[in-house]
Amino acid sequence: MGILIRTRDVPAARRYDEWRSIVCDTLGPLDFRIEGDAPLRGEISAGQLGPLGVGRVQTSTPHSVHRTPGLIRRDNPDLYRVVLAISGRPALMQDGRSTQLKRGEFAIYDFGRPYELAYDSAVDLAIFGFPRTMLALPFDSIAKLTAVPITPDSGAGALAAPLLRRVALDLETYQPANVARLSTVVMDLVTMAIAERVEQTETLSEESRSRTLLLRIHTFIEQHLGEPDLAPGTIAAAHHVSLRYLHRLFETQDTTVAAWIRHRRLERCRKDLADPAFHNVPVGVIASRYALPDSAHFSRLFRRTYGLPPTEYRRTCLMPPG
């Protein structure tokens, strides 16, 4: 993301006006208030992830922004926003509800209705904006959930929250070819997390539900790669789907469940072999960590996949330059 303002680069006499101007230019017309005579310190950056606007606000100055009826009459795009607390405890108020987000929590709000976002201490926030039409849920259902925290503890929230954080921190590193797919994943997970919160998952399209379920399954597989009994039946049971449906999900990715598990195990082994921190760990131990205990079988698989035996691959990766 490009940095739009860093207060230490702006003379103190101009900081308030320039910060307010950047906030309004980036997030839309807003009323901006600082309590007392607190010095303004912080940084705002912004960028795009396809159709999603992504902003990051870091500040140690207690203040608040307000979307008032007058500002709404002046400019009222059909937008939703999602705010994620990377750190700090921002307070969001809309539709008679108020919440103070904890670290890792996020909430949705409607830019077309009055709201307040306030910070009484240092915060680091990620803010995502997108057209209302991108959220495939009924308007009245979303209206019941504005300013309601979605936690990263379970369900789709456990996938959406860390993804939103990573996107905000790493936005400039994504390749253009991956942006469309990533923005779809973000919206699928946000939609599913909100749908779960209002218990209306059934309103999502089959395609969206399938993509989100597949992401959950990928995460489950990643967390259990070291277990020898990780198999399609175990995965299907853990996600309350039939074995046939599980296989159908992976067919849409032109692979099989077993092939995906094997691929992820080999990838984790490859990364560990190339990591200087593990240079003294025997190859067989690394392979066993990921449920590949047969050294000869592992060596054949690795060579077939990466073109080198694991020992030679490690030596090549860890060879000093020059």
Side-chain angles (χ1 to χ4, degrees):
M1 287 191 284
I3 295 173
L4 303 182
I5 184 172
R6 186 186 286 123
T7 55
R8 69 172 181 264
D9 298 334
V10 180
R14 299 199 339 247
R15 285 177 188 168
Y16 180 92
D17 289 339
E18 293 205 17
W19 182 274
R20 179 173 185 164
S21 176
I22 291 295
V23 166
C24 291
D25 287 348
T26 307
L27 301 178
L30 293 164
D31 188 13
F32 171 71
R33 305 170 192 171
I34 293 181
E35 301 298 330
D37 298 321
L40 181 58
R41 297 189 181 94
E43 181 177 304
I44 298 174
S45 51
Q48 287 289 135
L49 185 73
L52 305 180
V54 185
R56 189 175 175 196
V57 178
Q58 302 169 78
T59 180
S60 59
T61 303
H63 68 279
S64 59
V65 292
H66 302 253
R67 181 79 165 145
T68 65
L71 292 173
I72 292 169
R73 285 192 296 271
R74 186 192 313 170
D75 176 59
N76 188 22
D78 289 334
L79 291 177
Y80 287 126
R81 290 225 164 96
V82 165
V83 57
L84 169 76
I86 297 176
S87 66
R89 297 289 303 275
L92 176 64
M93 287 74 78
Q94 189 170 60
D95 298 325
R97 290 181 292 271
S98 176
T99 186
Q100 191 165 33
L101 297 175
K102 299 175 184 176
R103 180 178 179 178
E105 292 183 338
F106 64 94
I108 191 169
Y109 57 100
D110 189 338
F111 195 66
R113 298 204 303 280
Y115 73 86
E116 178 182 352
L117 185 58
Y119 337 117
D120 58 10
S121 59
V123 294
D124 186 350
L125 308 178
I127 300 174
F128 296 78
F130 47 88
R132 286 176 180 167
T133 53
M134 289 186 66
L135 197 58
L137 289 168
F139 178 82
D140 58 348
S141 296
I142 300 168
K144 298 174 184 175
L145 200 67
T146 52
V148 173
I150 297 175
T151 70
D153 300 331
S154 61
L159 295 174
L163 177 60
L164 291 172
R165 181 180 183 275
R166 271 281 48 101
V167 167
L169 296 180
D170 298 341
L171 186 64
E172 70 279 0
T173 68
Y174 300 124
Q175 299 298 315
N178 298 325
V179 165
R181 179 179 296 179
L182 185 55
S183 64
T184 298
V185 171
V186 168
M187 286 307 306
D188 281 343
L189 286 176
V190 167
T191 302
M192 181 64 78
I194 292 170
E196 287 179 348
R197 199 71 170 79
V198 295
E199 298 181 345
Q200 287 200 333
T201 305
E202 69 279 0
T203 66
L204 300 181
S205 70
E206 175 65 26
E207 182 183 8
S208 183
R209 286 200 303 270
S210 296
R211 283 197 301 257
T212 304
L213 176 59
L214 191 59
L215 286 169
R216 286 182 177 177
I217 291 169
H218 283 173
T219 301
F220 178 87
I221 289 172
E222 208 70 22
Q223 292 170 344
H224 296 83
L225 286 175
E227 300 175 10
D229 60 350
L230 180 65
T234 309
I235 297 165
H239 293 83
H240 311 291
V241 298
S242 69
L243 199 56
R244 181 178 179 181
Y245 185 70
L246 177 69
H247 286 305
R248 200 165 70 218
L249 282 175
F250 277 81
E251 285 172 5
T252 66
Q253 307 297 301
D254 295 322
T255 188
T256 66
V257 183
W260 181 258
I261 293 171
R262 183 171 60 249
H263 163 69
R264 293 309 306 156
R265 282 173 170 162
L266 286 170
E267 269 295 286
R268 293 286 286 274
C269 290
R270 183 187 66 79
K271 289 181 180 179
D272 284 1
L273 289 170
D275 190 337
F278 301 129
H279 75 282
N280 285 326
V281 180
V283 170
V285 172
I286 288 176
S288 294
R289 284 177 180 170
Y290 301 108
L292 295 167
D294 185 327
S295 296
H297 178 61
F298 169 67
S299 184
R300 287 195 299 271
L301 281 177
F302 195 95
R303 182 169 189 164
R304 187 190 311 154
T305 304
Y306 301 110
L308 292 172
T311 302
E312 188 176 341
Y313 178 84
R314 165 186 264 178
R315 187 166 51 248
T316 301
C317 291
L318 300 182
M319 187 181 299

